[in-house]
Amino acid sequence: MSEDLFGLSESPLSLRDRGSKAGKTAKSKEPKHYHGHRDRLRQRFDEAGAEALQSYELLEMLLFSCIKQGDTKPLAKALIERFGSFAKVLAAPRERLMEVQGCGEKTARFIKELQAAAVLFAKDQVDPQTPLSSWSAVMNYIHAAMAHSQTEEFRILFLDKKNQLIADEIQQRGTVDHAPVYPREVIKRALEHGASALILVHNHPSGDPTPSRADIEMTARINDALKPLNIVLHDHIIIAQHGHASFRGLNLL
């Protein structure tokens, strides 16, 4: 009678299968390298603040909110490597964010929500009653809103006769190097708001805030159109990733 009948011996295949299953079970019980990492990262933030974290670490900690399990460090590093900085990640178009492996639609939406929160925070630092006296806050706001955009945007700040902020509008969005601006549209919106003064703002995605010849000519046309209406053009600011240019400061107004 064969020993196999009583289960006293097993085939090589069944032994191999059993050993494989045992190995998988033991491996599954091993702690992942990132176990406890979230708590350690949060503890560093609580004890020392954001200054104690590198940019990718702050981003990976923020990603905890939309990625409930797993290691977010590889994605945070990949995003910053792709776009260049924390701010550029937030400003990146949703479609380009989703090109990064691991960044799905939900995560891309969350990143755009972070950008919206950052811009709103900067905007709320501007005192609408005295925007010109809180000029650094104005610059922080428009830098947060526009500096890292990959296309040109033309924004107008409308002020009343006391230089209080009436409205803040994006007038035009364009391509990587051009946003069409029509003086008649600027005049129309100024009259509709009852504005007494304007500040023009646009960005240069190239990173160089130096006014182009087209920028100078366009600003001159708008200024000439405003003068008969007794509307003052306080300034035209060009925002770039690493600085800005003021037409008033450059004696171009």
Side-chain angles (χ1 to χ4, degrees):
M1 187 176 293
S2 170
E3 291 182 323
D4 288 343
L5 184 61
F6 296 96
L8 298 179
S9 67
E10 296 177 293
S11 69
L13 180 61
S14 62
L15 286 172
R16 187 162 56 248
D17 289 346
R18 179 174 295 182
S20 176
K21 291 178 180 178
K24 289 181 180 179
T25 302
K27 187 175 182 180
S28 66
K29 292 181 179 179
E30 293 177 0
K32 300 294 185 182
H33 72 278
Y34 51 79
H35 280 187
H37 176 65
R38 294 188 176 206
D39 290 338
R40 291 191 295 272
L41 200 57
R42 289 183 176 121
Q43 184 176 2
R44 283 173 54 199
F45 178 81
D46 290 342
E47 293 177 351
E51 294 79 9
L53 304 180
Q54 296 188 50
S55 295
Y56 78 85
E57 291 178 313
L58 181 59
L59 181 57
E60 67 168 302
M61 189 172 73
L62 290 169
L63 290 174
F64 295 166
S65 296
C66 65
I67 302 175
K68 300 301 183 181
Q69 295 181 344
D71 189 2
T72 59
K73 182 187 292 185
L75 177 56
K77 284 188 170 182
L79 286 166
I80 289 181
E81 182 178 356
R82 168 71 69 88
F83 298 105
S85 70
F86 182 92
K88 289 180 181 179
V89 171
L90 267 58
R94 187 178 304 191
E95 295 76 15
R96 290 201 59 204
L97 289 169
M98 293 173 62
E99 293 173 0
V100 178
Q101 185 175 1
C103 185
E105 183 177 356
K106 179 182 177 181
T107 302
R109 183 189 306 113
F110 176 73
I111 290 173
K112 300 314 296 179
E113 290 168 355
L114 290 179
Q115 182 196 20
V119 171
L120 182 57
F121 177 84
K123 185 176 184 178
D124 280 352
Q125 306 307 302
V126 178
D127 184 355
Q129 302 300 312
T130 56
L132 297 184
S133 63
S134 58
W135 190 244
S136 62
V138 172
M139 293 305 302
N140 288 339
Y141 161 54
I142 57 179
H143 190 276
M146 303 176 68
H148 300 287
S149 174
Q150 297 178 5
T151 58
E152 277 204 9
E153 298 177 353
F154 185 80
R155 180 183 299 266
I156 306 176
L157 306 183
F158 299 93
L159 308 176
D160 66 14
K161 61 183 179 181
K162 294 182 179 180
N163 285 325
Q164 296 179 349
L165 185 63
I166 301 172
D168 163 25
E169 295 180 352
I170 293 179
Q171 185 73 17
Q172 295 288 342
R173 286 188 171 94
T175 63
V176 294
D177 60 0
H178 178 64
V181 180
Y182 305 101
R184 65 179 180 273
E185 292 298 325
V186 176
I187 300 302
K188 176 184 176 182
R189 294 301 292 154
L191 293 175
E192 288 173 349
H193 284 298
S196 297
L198 304 180
I199 298 172
L200 308 179
V201 186
H202 86 276
N203 64 312
H204 278 182
S206 67
D208 182 2
T210 304
S212 66
R213 173 55 56 185
D215 294 333
I216 295 171
E217 292 175 352
M218 177 267 292
T219 305
R221 290 198 301 272
I222 292 176
N223 196 31
D224 289 343
L226 292 172
K227 285 179 179 178
L229 302 173
N230 292 320
I231 300 175
V232 177
L233 181 57
H234 280 312
D235 209 342
H236 183 175
I237 304 295
I238 299 178
I239 293 288
Q241 292 178 11
H242 304 295
H244 70 275
S246 162
F247 275 57
R248 184 70 64 184
L250 294 171
N251 295 317
L252 294 174
L253 273 178

